[in-house]
Amino acid sequence: MNKFKKFGIINSLIFLIFSLTLLLGASLARGDELGRLILTNCQIIDCSERHQDPLRNMTIIIEGNRIVSIKKGKYDANASEEESRVIDLKNAFVIPGLWNVHVHLSDIFPDPNHIQDGELLASAVIRAGLNAMDGLQHGFTGIRVVGEKGYLDVAWRDAFEQGLFLGPRIFACGEVVSPTGGHRGDIAGGADGVAAIRRAVRAQIQRGVDWIKIMEVEMLDDEVQTAVEVAHHNGLRVAAHSREPTTYRSVKLGVDSIEHGYGLKDETIKLMAKKGTFYVPTIVCNLSDQYILEREKRLAQLGFANNPKIVRARTMIAYADERSAEHALWQRLALQKAARAGVKICVGSDSNPIGELGYLEIEQLVLSGLTPREALVAATRNCAELCGVLDKLGTVEIGKLADLVVLSDNPIENISNIRKVQMVIKDGVIVKPEKFLGASRLWDFYNISKLKSGFLAEAEKAAGFSRGKIKQ
């Protein structure tokens, strides 16, 4: 479908994004754009199947947005190469750009300030864009959005692709396809029956989505089969919010990825491995009190608990999704079994912000039994393969697009070294975070804020009560 035709479908969102572009300046989108970028004196963890250990004393040459050379040895600069920029990384580690493939860009959970109550779509659009660009700063160069209001993920995808802003690559699914009462009864007015499901999937495709997301638990067999059939006929893949006992059925009917996979059984794991079904466990959202405490203690010992705002918010998010000890253990063991069976695991945080929660998900994969290298592959190569772009992204190899993250320390030795980001390169462009973000961050949505005095203060006073949010 023509890009501008898709823009017509969601013209209100694009108008907002264009307005933001005019305010911020179009030059922000390209960062440090150079014809030739040379990264030398570095170690490479390429996440390919060919190399298990870091490649040492390496040089990467990027021309435009592609990696054109990877050689051993330090680069010998030629004085005549005026169009090149050579960066000595001083033995830092280069990994592929990170991915987070279970994202809801605008979501706030929990929402202590009730921001989403009656919220304007325009407000959600702004927050979604901030979340995406903040995620890029953290090294997440690719994301898959698995459910959004008003197709704002499609709008931001196109805005990033056209260079209006510098953000991650987005694989969008628009709105979810669900029967009435899907997602534990949350969805009203869904698509019921084969004809309605077929129409709903085609409507998503018409709006330019990259993926179809279904709420398979409440769907009948013929409804799941129809969703898969229509999506695959049109070259799209299907992600399924899933729990047993229906997960086995949906894998058998051909869904491409299982999201969450609550209560995953051994027979389902075997079938997933056989059929090549990807697993996005969102393990960071399936933690017991014990696991949350262990995680925070570990991060404090490593020195990643210095910002009280971040610690408070990520802990609040964890407890909003707290699970029983039995459930958390089951999910952990199921993840281990899936990895041993050869199921391809992918990183997806579900909660926001996608940067910090993406880090937590990668770390939690290791705490749940994967090796650090397996966790890195789950955050890079597997996600690129899931989204059908492994030929272009997901590993550090010649000919691939230059989506890279530079880390000061080795994440194979300690997975939390993914937090020690020195540089992010997306599509051959060095990301300059100070150029396009304000003073506020996503964490500010999770910290209790007071409302401005004025009409609300007067109204509450007249009504004889106070919610404790009035700024005096």
Side-chain angles (χ1 to χ4, degrees):
M1 185 185 295
N2 182 280
K3 281 185 179 178
F4 295 100
K5 198 170 184 179
K6 288 187 285 184
F7 273 16
I9 298 170
I10 47 177
N11 59 341
S12 62
L13 302 187
I14 284 296
F15 175 77
L16 174 62
I17 293 173
F18 268 109
S19 300
L20 290 171
T21 305
L22 293 175
L23 290 171
L24 293 174
S27 64
L28 305 184
R30 298 309 301 162
D32 270 1
E33 185 173 13
L34 292 170
R36 201 161 191 253
L37 177 62
I38 299 165
L39 307 176
T40 192
N41 191 18
C42 64
Q43 303 184 62
I44 302 173
I45 302 173
D46 65 10
C47 291
S48 74
E49 295 178 334
R50 295 184 301 153
H51 304 116
Q52 298 298 310
D53 298 320
L55 305 174
R56 305 187 185 281
N57 188 25
M58 304 298 292
T59 293
I60 302 170
I61 299 178
I62 301 165
E63 289 186 359
N65 65 349
R66 289 193 180 271
I67 300 170
V68 298
S69 175
I70 300 175
K71 295 181 178 180
K72 191 167 184 64
K74 191 170 181 179
Y75 185 74
D76 186 11
N78 188 330
S80 65
E81 296 183 273
E82 296 180 358
E83 297 299 318
S84 299
R85 178 178 177 184
V86 181
I87 301 178
D88 186 342
L89 292 180
K90 300 179 180 178
N91 217 32
F93 292 81
V94 178
I95 65 171
L98 299 172
W99 289 66
N100 188 333
V101 294
H102 192 110
V103 169
H104 304 280
L105 277 177
S106 69
D107 189 46
I108 307 172
F109 179 75
D111 185 5
N113 295 308
H114 304 283
I115 292 169
Q116 297 171 110
D117 295 352
E119 180 183 32
L120 294 174
L121 178 60
S123 174
V125 172
I126 293 171
R127 184 172 60 253
L130 174 63
N131 192 10
M133 290 185 279
D134 179 73
L136 180 61
Q137 291 183 70
H138 284 75
F140 289 88
T141 59
I143 61 175
R144 184 187 60 160
V145 185
V146 287
E148 263 304 345
K149 61 190 78 172
Y151 301 95
L152 62 82
D153 53 341
V154 176
W156 275 112
R157 178 200 67 194
D158 293 346
F160 292 147
E161 284 183 359
Q162 293 190 11
L164 302 180
F165 294 90
L166 184 56
R169 303 176 192 276
I170 292 180
F171 294 81
C173 85
E175 298 178 353
V176 301
V177 174
S178 170
T180 301
H183 197 258
R184 302 186 299 274
D186 290 344
I187 296 175
D192 301 309
V194 168
I197 292 291
R198 185 179 291 121
R199 183 164 51 250
V201 173
R202 285 173 174 162
Q204 301 304 304
I205 296 170
Q206 184 182 26
R207 286 164 172 79
V209 302
D210 306 296
W211 273 79
I212 298 297
K213 166 76 175 296
I214 64 172
M215 296 296 181
E216 68 85 23
V217 176
E218 295 83 6
M219 295 171 73
L220 299 177
D221 290 5
D222 57 355
E223 292 175 323
V224 174
Q225 186 172 11
T226 296
V228 171
E229 181 182 14
V230 176
H232 287 180
H233 177 75
N234 287 276
L236 273 64
R237 297 181 178 183
V238 178
H241 172 104
S242 187
R243 64 170 169 81
E244 296 285 20
T246 57
T247 305
Y248 183 88
R249 176 272 315 263
S250 292
V251 173
K252 187 176 181 179
L253 291 175
V255 301
D256 299 284
S257 72
I258 293 297
E259 313 297 308
H260 312 302
Y262 301 131
L264 210 57
K265 297 179 180 178
D266 292 351
E267 62 175 354
T268 304
I269 291 171
K270 291 178 182 178
L271 185 62
M272 290 173 70
K274 180 180 179 180
K275 292 179 68 69
T277 310
F278 290 83
Y279 181 32
V280 186
T282 62
I283 198 70
V284 75
C285 298
N286 287 277
L287 303 180
S288 63
D289 173 64
Q290 176 189 344
Y291 291 169
I292 295 169
L293 293 174
E294 289 174 353
R295 179 191 79 186
E296 290 303 317
K297 180 180 179 180
R298 175 182 176 276
L299 289 173
Q301 291 172 341
L302 292 171
F304 296 116
N306 297 326
N307 188 324
K309 180 185 290 187
I310 293 177
V311 173
R312 177 185 178 277
R314 75 187 179 202
T315 304
M316 180 197 309
I317 293 166
Y319 279 106
D321 245 338
E322 181 189 357
R323 309 302 169 103
S324 68
E326 294 78 14
H327 174 91
L329 178 59
W330 185 286
Q331 293 303 109
R332 177 172 285 193
L333 294 177
L335 174 59
Q336 293 174 9
K337 291 176 183 178
R340 288 198 301 268
V343 176
K344 290 179 179 176
I345 312 296
C346 294
V347 165
S349 68
D350 200 0
S351 297
N352 290 315
I354 61 174
E356 173 65 21
L357 269 292
Y359 286 164
L360 292 174
E361 177 72 7
I362 297 169
E363 292 167 329
Q364 202 65 49
L365 290 180
V366 176
L367 294 175
S368 298
L370 272 62
T371 68
R373 190 179 187 282
E374 287 173 334
L376 282 180
V377 169
T380 56
R381 186 176 81 213
N382 287 356
C383 293
E385 185 176 358
L386 169 70
C387 290
V389 291
L390 185 56
D391 59 326
K392 303 181 184 73
L393 297 161
T395 59
V396 184
E397 295 181 280
I398 294 173
K400 293 205 172 183
L401 297 174
D403 285 12
L404 305 170
V405 179
V406 179
L407 306 172
S408 60
D409 292 308
N410 188 353
I412 300 297
E413 294 179 354
N414 187 325
I415 193 59
S416 291
N417 287 335
I418 57 173
R419 295 174 174 272
K420 299 180 180 180
V421 176
Q422 288 187 347
M423 182 187 302
V424 178
I425 299 171
K426 191 258 179 167
D427 209 33
V429 176
I430 299 175
V431 176
K432 292 288 187 178
E434 69 275 10
K435 286 189 176 182
F436 57 85
L437 287 181
S440 296
R441 292 294 183 265
L442 262 293
W443 296 116
D444 294 313
F445 289 107
Y446 294 94
N447 287 275
I448 299 295
S449 62
K450 295 182 179 180
L451 302 180
K452 293 181 180 179
S453 59
F455 171 79
L456 181 59
E458 295 170 1
E460 288 202 348
K461 183 178 179 181
F465 68 86
S466 173
R467 297 183 179 89
K469 295 182 180 181
I470 305 303
K471 183 177 181 180
Q472 305 296 339

